[in-house]
Amino acid sequence: MSEHGDLRQRRAVLEHEWSLRVPQSRVPQVMAARPAAGAPALRPEVAESWRRSLATVDPARSSAPAAEDAGLAPRWTGSPLYRPVMTLADELRDVAENAGFVAAVTDETGTIMWTCGGPVMRRRAERVNFAPGGRWGERAMGTNALSLALLTGRPSTVFSAEHLVAALHGWVCYCAPLRSRNGRVLGVLDLSTTWDRSHPLAMSTVRSLASAIEARLDPALDRLPHLPGAASWQVRLTCLGGQDAVRGDVPLRLPPRQLEILTLLALEPGGFTPERLRDALYGDRPVSASTFKAEISHLRRALGGGVANRLYALTEPVACDAVEVLRALERGDTETAVSRYRGPLLPRSEAPGVVEWREHIEVAVREAVLTGANPEHALRYGERSPYDAEVHEHALRTLPPGDVRRGIALSRLKQALRS
């Protein structure tokens, strides 16, 4: 019997046992079939994981659930794993693409933060939401290598039908936990592929890559009481209502094009392919490849590194006012969003990618103001949008009678209607 078929029999043994104890709605049809007598048992850690998982996970589900919160990007850029992973991104990508794998990094909850791999394997992985935002902890997706590595703190492999969820039977996954120097598990590194492409060196590869990531962790991490968002910002980028960048206390004398690149990379921590970043900067304008690469090189030197090759992404933390506004909106904090929104994103820029983000941020802040009932937000936003009659009308509606600020809102409204 093949290894693949043998594991199916092992699975059926435990499935039949637990079909007697789990509500039938949570058990796939395969549980009705009894295996041949004498089929070998599942590995103990897999069997135990199944017993735990069947209480919360339907083995017939088609994909991993998505993270409930919308703040995935700031969670990733604020993670202590972000810089080490992005520093090694090219190496991880080479391994994944050349061997036909998908590489993934999760946080400590099992939520995938970052992936890479060839287009074919990534499309297959996305069908089961093995992608950023997918939740792969045991309570969300049952028995899999990522959940085992998080629970045991040890490298783990789950092959084909060892997965609780039937949709994953075509896969084999190799995982290693990622630990800080004091032993805290920060997440896991995973290499996954189809079961027929399993390779005896895959586990040693993932362990070596995990060690390389751990070696690049900030030593100060172990002294921090709370990891998410604990990084100290080295570069501060102001791009709302103006443009400025400082590193520590030293201004970065970046020309407009490099400020555009830095802004786009800060807003999209997942990075850009060279073609996509070039389109975001120049659109249809004819610009030579050497000119484009020179801008990237100059920015990289100004940041002291900080920009990954091939897939252009920041490898150093950058504090950006536009990102902070978006984070505030994601958590429903209109007060912070309005106070930090000081005007349009890079107002002089005509780069298509910047224009798109400018419109997105402006609409998001404006809608938060108009759907809220706080007149202070409308007054503050209206100060920077003198011709927005709807905002001034909203301020008048929400201000109580007798409030002296009604005169300000009324004056702005009349000015907007005259323009």
Side-chain angles (χ1 to χ4, degrees):
M1 182 182 294
S2 69
E3 184 179 12
H4 188 61
D6 183 61
L7 283 168
R8 287 191 182 278
Q9 284 206 338
R10 298 183 199 179
R11 175 184 174 88
V13 170
L14 194 63
E15 282 180 331
H16 178 70
E17 174 189 346
W18 283 90
S19 67
L20 303 177
R21 309 186 191 185
V22 181
Q24 201 63 31
S25 62
R26 305 187 69 82
V27 182
Q29 293 180 350
V30 70
M31 288 188 176
R34 284 181 176 272
L42 287 167
R43 290 182 288 141
E45 64 268 27
V46 173
E48 289 300 322
S49 177
W50 275 30
R51 292 186 177 96
R52 294 188 300 266
S53 301
L54 282 167
T56 59
V57 179
D58 183 352
R61 72 172 307 143
S62 60
S63 63
E68 295 177 359
D69 61 298
L72 187 69
R75 280 173 59 188
W76 176 224
T77 56
S79 166
L81 296 173
Y82 175 74
R83 177 181 174 185
V85 170
M86 297 314 297
T87 301
L88 292 168
D90 290 343
E91 185 175 347
L92 290 165
R93 194 169 292 106
D94 285 340
V95 169
E97 292 179 359
N98 292 336
F101 281 76
V102 175
V105 176
T106 79
D107 66 5
E108 68 275 14
T109 71
T111 300
I112 294 179
M113 296 283 108
W114 180 85
T115 63
C116 68
V120 173
M121 291 304 297
R122 289 187 70 176
R123 281 196 298 271
R124 290 180 178 177
E126 287 166 1
R127 291 172 193 158
V128 292
N129 201 21
F130 192 79
R135 293 167 50 214
W136 286 77
E138 189 177 79
R139 292 183 61 82
M141 200 54 179
T143 307
N144 63 82
L146 295 89
S147 66
L148 282 180
L150 284 172
L151 284 166
T152 67
R154 300 189 304 270
S156 298
T157 302
V158 173
F159 180 85
S160 183
E162 286 186 318
H163 291 96
L164 178 78
V165 174
L168 305 180
H169 286 188
W171 290 86
V172 58
C173 304
Y174 307 88
C175 277
L178 299 168
R179 296 177 177 275
S180 65
R181 288 173 174 79
N182 64 6
R184 177 175 177 176
V185 175
L186 307 175
V188 298
L189 172 66
D190 174 278
L191 289 178
S192 292
T193 188
T194 52
W195 70 268
D196 54 319
R197 297 173 67 97
S198 61
H199 195 283
L201 295 179
M203 179 51 78
S204 62
T205 300
V206 78
R207 293 177 73 163
S208 296
L209 291 169
S211 296
I213 292 171
E214 291 173 340
R216 288 163 172 77
L217 287 168
D218 186 349
L221 179 64
D222 296 337
R223 300 192 295 272
L224 298 176
H226 179 62
L227 296 176
S232 59
W233 303 114
Q234 294 184 352
V235 175
R236 174 80 198 179
L237 172 62
T238 301
C239 50
L240 293 175
Q243 50 191 44
D244 183 43
V246 297
R247 188 177 187 182
D249 297 325
V250 180
L252 291 175
R253 309 294 184 185
L254 298 178
R257 186 64 72 193
Q258 290 168 40
L259 278 167
E260 291 171 343
I261 296 171
L262 182 58
T263 298
L264 290 170
L265 296 180
L267 285 165
E268 300 200 32
F272 289 78
T273 62
E275 295 78 12
R276 182 165 169 258
L277 182 56
R278 184 171 173 173
D279 289 343
L281 290 171
Y282 304 106
D284 296 331
R285 291 174 52 198
V287 175
S288 68
S290 60
T291 298
F292 170 60
K293 290 180 179 178
E295 297 284 10
I296 301 292
S297 297
H298 292 156
L299 176 61
R300 186 180 288 115
R301 283 198 295 272
L303 297 178
V307 180
N309 293 314
R310 288 183 50 183
L311 184 74
Y312 295 130
L314 293 173
T315 62
E316 300 282 351
V318 171
C320 173
D321 55 352
V323 174
E324 290 165 357
V325 166
L326 291 171
R327 286 186 190 179
L329 292 173
E330 286 168 355
R331 61 179 182 265
D333 184 359
T334 304
E335 173 70 27
T336 298
V338 172
S339 66
R340 298 192 181 183
Y341 182 76
R342 297 180 178 86
L345 181 75
L346 297 184
R348 298 178 183 176
S349 172
E350 297 179 358
V354 173
V355 171
E356 184 177 347
W357 271 109
R358 180 190 300 150
E359 293 172 353
H360 171 75
I361 296 170
E362 182 176 356
V363 168
V365 176
R366 184 176 185 271
E367 285 302 304
V369 169
L370 291 176
T371 56
N374 190 328
E376 183 66 33
H377 297 162
L379 287 168
R380 225 180 302 171
Y381 183 85
E383 184 179 352
R384 298 183 178 90
S385 301
Y387 304 111
D388 195 328
E390 188 176 358
V391 169
H392 305 320
E393 288 174 344
H394 184 67
L396 279 173
R397 282 195 302 270
T398 53
L399 283 166
D403 192 309
V404 295
R405 295 173 297 174
R406 290 181 62 86
I408 297 174
L410 183 59
S411 175
R412 289 175 180 172
L413 176 60
K414 290 180 179 179
Q415 181 66 30
L417 293 175
R418 283 198 298 265
S419 61

